[in-house]
Amino acid sequence: MGVWHITAPGTPPSRAPPAHHVYQDHTLTFCNPWDSAVKPSVADLVQGLQWGERGTPSPQGGSVDATEAHAPDSDPVPLMPDPMPTETPDFAFDPGAARAKATWLGHAGVLVQLPPVPGLSRPLRALFDPIFSERCSPSSWWGPRRAYVAPCRVADLPTIDFVFISHNHYDHLDIPTIDQLWTHFSDTVHFFVPLKNKAWLLQLPLGLPADRITELDWWDEAQCRVQASDAQVRIVCTPAQHGSGRTLYDAGHTLWSSWVLEHGPDMFRVFFGGDSGFCMRRADEPLGAPSSFPELPAFREIAQRIGEPDLSFLPVSVGATYAYVKSFDPLPDWLSPVPRLHEGLTGANHMTAADAVRVFQQMHEARAARPPLAIAIHWGTFVGGREDVQETVTRLQEACTHYGIPLVRHVDTLTQPTFALLHHGQSVSYSGGS
C-alpha cells in the first residue's frame, strides 16, 4: 500500500465533457482548446528561415551583447562557463533554514524537497519528469543523446515520495528511469500522471500496482496524507499547451499537463510547467512586442484559481525537432546551406525564454506575500553542443533584462520576483518571505 494515502475524487458523471476532450470513433483523445494553439503557415515558415551567423535578437529587436545584459539594479549575470559544469548533487536539506530546496537534474527533471508533514519524520520529496537515460528515444542506440551526463544515478537519490509526469514524450516519460525508481523506492513512491497515462504504464512489464498511480484530468486534484494523519499536501493537475505521443499513430491519445503541489498549512505552492507552449510569433515580430497571435490564457487562470506559486519551474528552450537536427550540422553558420528556424514559430508548442519570463509575470500579477522564484528547465541537456547552451542563456538574460526580472546563478534570501539559471546537479534553497 505504501506510505501515502491518496484521495482523488472522480469527475462527476453529470459534468459536460471539457473542451480538451475529443472523441474519435468513440475513443477519448485530447486537444489544445485555445486560440493560441496555432501552427505556422508555409509562408511563415519560409519567412522564418535564417542563414548566416546567428545573432541573438533582443526582446526589443536588434541584437545585444549578452555579457552586458542584466536586470535593472542588479549585477551582470555572467554567461555559463564553457563547458557548462556538472556537479554532484547535495541532497542535504534543513527545513529550519529554508522552506524548500530544488535540484535541477537535467532537461525538465527536478527534485523538490519540502519540510516533513504529520506522520513523516523526514523531508517530503517530489520528482518531476525525471530522465536518467543516455538518450530520449525508443532506442538506446539512436536518437537525441545527452550533451551533459546525468549528475547522479537513480540509486543516489534520497527516498522519493511523489513522481510527477507531464506527458509521455520520450524526454519526459523515460521508462528505464520509472523502472529504476520503482525498484529503489517501492516502499514509498507514488506516481501522478495525466489522463490515460495510467493504463499505458500498467501494461508495461514494470510491476507498478494500480493503487500507486493516480491519474487526473485538468483541474482535478488529490489530497495526500501519511496514513491516519491530517492531509497537508494538495496536488492539482493543471493545463498546458502541448501534445503527446510515442509513435506515428498515437498523437493526442494521452493527456499532457502542468502540475501544482500545495504543501503545509501555509499553502506553499510549487508549479511545474512541464513542456508547454505559450504564443506563436512570426520572424518579423520583435520578441518583446505583442504578437499578432493570442497568448495562452491558462497560466494566468492557474494562478487565479489556485493561487500564485512560490516556486516555479518553467521551460526556456524550444526544443523543437528541427532545431535539434540542425544542431548536428557540421558546418559553421556563416558557411552552412542548411537554415535555422526562428524560435517564435514553434512558440505555441514550446515556449521561448522570453515567453517563460512573460508567464512568470502573468502568474504573479497579484503580488503574493512571499516573493516568487522561477527556475529554468527544459534546456541544456539534449542539445547539439555548447553553442546551443550559450544561446539559451543569452536569450534568457535578455528577456529578464527587458521585463525587469533579476536573473541569478545562486539564490540567497529572496526579496523580489527572481529567475534562477542552474547548471546540472546544482541546488537552490527557497528562503523568501514568511
Side-chain angles (χ1 to χ4, degrees), residues 128-349:
F128 295 86
D129 279 4
I131 176 169
F132 288 82
S133 294
E134 180 70 11
R135 297 183 186 273
C136 54
S137 166
S139 170
S140 60
W141 299 100
W142 56 269
R145 186 177 185 180
R146 288 178 175 272
Y148 296 86
V149 298
C152 67
R153 304 169 302 165
V154 170
D156 299 324
L157 296 172
T159 301
I160 301 298
D161 296 290
F162 302 145
V163 174
F164 294 88
I165 301 299
S166 65
H167 64 298
N168 74 349
H169 285 160
Y170 286 96
D171 56 330
H172 294 260
L173 175 52
D174 180 55
I175 297 307
T177 296
I178 298 298
D179 190 21
Q180 292 175 55
L181 286 167
W182 177 244
T183 297
H184 288 284
F185 306 113
S186 58
D187 289 341
T188 59
V189 70
H190 194 98
F191 297 89
F192 290 88
V193 298
L195 276 188
K196 296 189 70 175
N197 284 281
K198 179 176 181 177
W200 190 86
L201 284 171
L202 290 177
Q203 56 88 29
L204 297 174
L206 300 177
L208 299 181
D211 64 355
R212 302 295 282 277
I213 306 173
T214 295
E215 177 181 85
L216 300 173
D217 198 356
W218 291 351
W219 303 115
D220 286 347
E221 61 183 74
Q223 298 291 334
C224 312
R225 58 186 173 87
V226 180
Q227 303 307 334
S229 65
D230 294 333
Q232 291 203 14
V233 182
R234 176 191 182 202
I235 307 299
V236 186
C237 180
T238 47
Q241 183 169 282
H242 197 56
S244 66
R246 294 171 76 89
T247 71
L248 296 175
Y249 309 104
D250 66 344
H253 285 209
T254 59
L255 186 60
W256 50 96
S257 73
S258 56
W259 292 96
V260 172
L261 186 159
E262 189 176 83
H263 172 273
D266 62 343
M267 295 185 292
F268 184 89
R269 297 185 189 93
V270 176
F271 174 68
F272 179 73
D275 198 355
S276 177
F278 179 65
C279 176
M280 181 180 141
R281 186 179 297 276
R282 291 194 179 101
D284 59 352
E285 296 176 329
L287 295 179
S291 172
S292 57
F293 297 92
E295 295 179 346
L296 175 67
F299 296 114
R300 182 181 275 115
E301 185 180 3
I302 290 168
Q304 292 172 345
R305 290 178 60 164
I306 301 174
E308 296 188 4
D310 301 289
L311 178 61
S312 298
F313 301 95
L314 298 174
V316 299
S317 181
V318 294
T321 301
Y322 181 84
Y324 182 83
V325 174
K326 164 63 180 170
S327 69
F328 289 96
D329 181 359
L331 297 175
D333 289 333
W334 63 270
L335 185 60
S336 175
V338 181
R340 301 181 305 278
L341 186 65
H342 184 266
E343 64 169 358
L345 295 179
T346 57
N349 197 52

Side-chain angles (χ1 to χ4, degrees), residues 56-60 64-66 68-78 287-288 314-316 343 352-361 367 372-377 391-409 416-422:
T56 304
S58 74
Q60 297 91 341
V64 170
D65 181 355
E68 298 177 357
H70 60 281
D73 302 321
S74 69
D75 293 330
V77 179
L287 295 179
L314 298 174
V316 299
E343 64 169 358
T352 65
D355 290 340
V357 180
R358 177 78 177 121
V359 167
F360 186 45
Q361 282 192 323
R367 295 289 179 172
L373 172 66
I375 296 176
I377 61 168
E391 185 173 39
T392 299
V393 173
T394 300
R395 291 183 186 279
L396 184 58
Q397 285 180 303
E398 294 191 19
C400 285
T401 298
H402 176 73
Y403 290 111
I405 302 293
L407 177 63
V408 301
R409 291 285 310 285
Q416 60 182 316
T418 301
F419 220 108
L421 189 71
L422 311 181

